Amino acid sequence: MALNWDDLRIFLHVARGEGLTAAGRSLRLDPATVGRRVARLEAELDAVLFVKSPQGYQLTEAGARYLPHAEAAERAARAMGDALGGQGEDLAGPVRIGAPDGCANYLLPAVCARMLEQHPRLELQIIALPRVINLSKREADFAVTVSPPEAGRLTVQKLSDYRLHLMGHRDLLARAPVAIPEDLRAHRIVGYIPDMVFDRELDYLAEVGLDRPDLGSNSVAVQLNLLKAGTGLGIVHDFATPAAPELVRVLPERISLTRSFYLVRHADDQKVVALQRIARIFAGFFRDELARLERSA
């Protein structure tokens, strides 16, 4: 049976997005069109691939059996494009990058700008989520993480270490200076909402011996803005400090953290030349931008 590749592509987007709306956004199609194409594929296969539930479109048993074959067709299509395009050709098409929101906000915009200068036909999409990106569901082509995953068919590459310090607004610290750790008691603490810390590497406050935050958010960008508003003290990425020149370090000789970024990809993508090239370019620009921002801190 000869199947339409576009229908297979739509099936994959619905399976990964768990719904017509999310698939339509990524495919730039209206949800009704996506639904019709899924129905056409189901008719051709004489099988029900999805069941609609309160959580969205979920794969049926038949859909789950069909998924690896559709993914194999996707890999073959990408490999064919690589073979026809060649190593030296300009890279093109959509690439989705998942990252924690601090990285997404303060590192990736400049990284993506440099990638687009070199390859203007790329369509780069940044997913900033306060949780781990699910590559198995193809939420992204690759992801930046703060700890290496321990399960799944994934390849992991360490990108770089990065540093963090306790910081606060200079006006706040002028009113209530911090010379010794005991002085911290005079200040509110800003940090992650404890039950929303999605990776143990983000549990900064516990490591430096501070209590639960008085002001909490699951977003690094929100935490930084709280500090810029003078509401308290909190742990800040060095690479974010150029965006907040009003913040100064507090007890830097005592409170200094080091963490690492990792680039994570689906194992099958190792066979796709274009994605390997994109990942290599991304990693180089990422390290350059991180080093530049930390030098400015």
Side-chain angles (χ1 to χ4, degrees), residues 101-102 105 130 190-193 216-226:
D101 77 307
N105 274 286
V190 175
Y192 276 103
I193 299 169
S217 174
N218 66 335
S219 165
V220 167
V222 172
Q223 291 176 39
L224 189 68
N225 284 325
L226 285 169

Side-chain angles (χ1 to χ4, degrees), residues 29-45:
L29 295 172
D30 66 88
T33 300
V34 176
R36 287 195 296 272
R37 298 287 288 274
V38 168
R40 183 171 76 182
L41 180 60
E42 289 180 325
E44 291 180 359
L45 294 172

Side-chain angles (χ1 to χ4, degrees), residues 197-239:
V197 175
F198 65 89
D199 191 298
R200 63 182 181 276
E201 295 295 325
L202 303 180
D203 194 5
Y204 309 131
L205 297 184
E207 181 169 335
V208 300
L210 295 174
D211 294 331
R212 292 166 60 90
D214 303 290
L215 288 161
S217 174
N218 66 335
S219 165
V220 167
V222 172
Q223 291 176 39
L224 189 68
N225 284 325
L226 285 169
L227 297 175
K228 290 169 68 174
T231 58
L233 309 179
I235 300 295
V236 177
H237 303 77
D238 282 9
F239 61 73

Side-chain angles (χ1 to χ4, degrees), residues 151-166:
R153 297 188 64 255
L154 304 169
T155 59
V156 182
Q157 168 190 358
K158 183 175 177 179
L159 287 170
S160 179
D161 291 334
Y162 64 96
R163 291 157 189 83
L164 310 96
H165 288 87
L166 184 67

